[in-house]
Amino acid sequence: MQGELKNNLLELLKEEKELYQELFEIAEAKNEALVENDTEALAETLKRDQKVIEKIEAKEKERKEIITEIKEKFELKLENDKYSDFIKKLPADWGADLNSIREELIELTDKFYSLNDQNQELLTKALELNTFSIETILNSIKDNEKNTYSKDAKENKGQPRLLNKQV
């Protein structure tokens, strides 16, 4: 039973790692779409992103269930649910097997969060640029309305009419 629990946890962690790798690849595609200002590609990556996140959340739930089973099996009472406390209370071979996959997951998630921060910065800059562009266009339209499009402005400036409404 103990070996089965360890194998289940290891397998689940490997599946989570694969999902995080996929999420990282999507984040790279998102980064490229942001840099290229490709809104279609960005929308597509966001859809893929959401699907993978849902899968990761499901795996996290499974992992918590397996860890609960392990705690019950080994009668572990932990003050915190810290990995270091958890692994110390398990047989030595568990730590050897679990630590390597844990380190890989930590490294991958660190890279993901770094790239995600970069994507967030790019998105913020793009939104600022779009806001600035829209404000500039709106100000330009307002200025032109004052000078060109209002009826009073045309009559006051004595601008010639190309079409005369009067017959």
Side-chain angles (χ1 to χ4, degrees):
M1 179 69 169
Q2 291 178 3
E4 183 181 337
L5 284 173
K6 181 175 90 171
N7 289 336
N8 289 346
L9 182 57
L10 279 170
E11 187 60 35
L12 188 65
L13 289 172
K14 289 175 185 175
E15 290 171 10
E16 276 189 275
K17 180 185 164 206
E18 289 173 12
L19 288 170
Y20 274 107
Q21 181 63 43
E22 186 177 349
L23 191 63
F24 182 76
E25 291 167 6
I26 292 169
E28 288 178 322
K30 194 184 311 179
N31 183 279
E32 187 176 321
L34 285 167
V35 168
E36 298 294 324
N37 198 25
D38 186 346
T39 55
E40 286 181 34
L42 184 59
E44 190 59 38
T45 59
L46 291 174
K47 288 178 191 174
R48 290 176 45 215
D49 192 55
Q50 188 58 42
K51 289 177 184 174
V52 173
I53 288 171
E54 289 171 5
K55 290 177 184 177
I56 289 172
E57 289 171 348
K59 292 296 177 187
E60 285 177 356
K61 184 180 176 187
E62 286 181 50
R63 180 173 29 93
K64 287 178 183 180
E65 290 170 359
I66 290 174
I67 288 174
T68 300
E69 276 185 70
I70 292 169
K71 285 180 181 178
E72 290 171 3
K73 179 71 178 168
F74 287 94
E75 299 176 358
L76 301 179
K77 304 285 185 236
L78 303 173
E79 287 182 34
N80 303 339
D81 277 340
K82 290 173 40 177
Y83 175 79
S84 58
D85 295 340
F86 174 71
I87 205 70
K88 284 178 189 174
K89 307 250 179 178
L90 296 173
D93 66 318
W94 283 58
D97 292 337
L98 292 173
N99 285 336
S100 64
I101 189 79
R102 179 179 181 268
E103 291 301 318
E104 291 172 12
L105 271 167
I106 289 171
E107 183 180 327
L108 186 56
T109 54
D110 285 348
K111 286 173 35 180
F112 169 74
Y113 286 122
S114 176
L115 184 56
N116 206 35
D117 287 343
Q118 183 182 1
N119 285 347
Q120 184 64 39
E121 184 67 27
L122 285 170
L123 192 54
T124 300
K125 295 295 182 192
L127 288 172
E128 287 173 3
L129 180 62
N130 286 341
T131 301
F132 176 76
S133 296
I134 290 170
E135 287 174 355
T136 302
I137 291 168
L138 290 175
N139 287 335
S140 177
I141 289 171
K142 286 179 185 176
D143 289 344
N144 282 338
E145 284 179 346
K146 289 178 187 173
N147 297 326
T148 309
Y149 295 115
S150 85
K151 185 175 183 178
D152 293 337
K154 285 183 182 179
E155 289 175 1
N156 291 338
K157 288 193 164 203
Q159 292 178 342
R161 290 187 169 181
L162 295 176
L163 299 173
N164 191 343
K165 293 182 190 178
Q166 299 173 352
V167 182

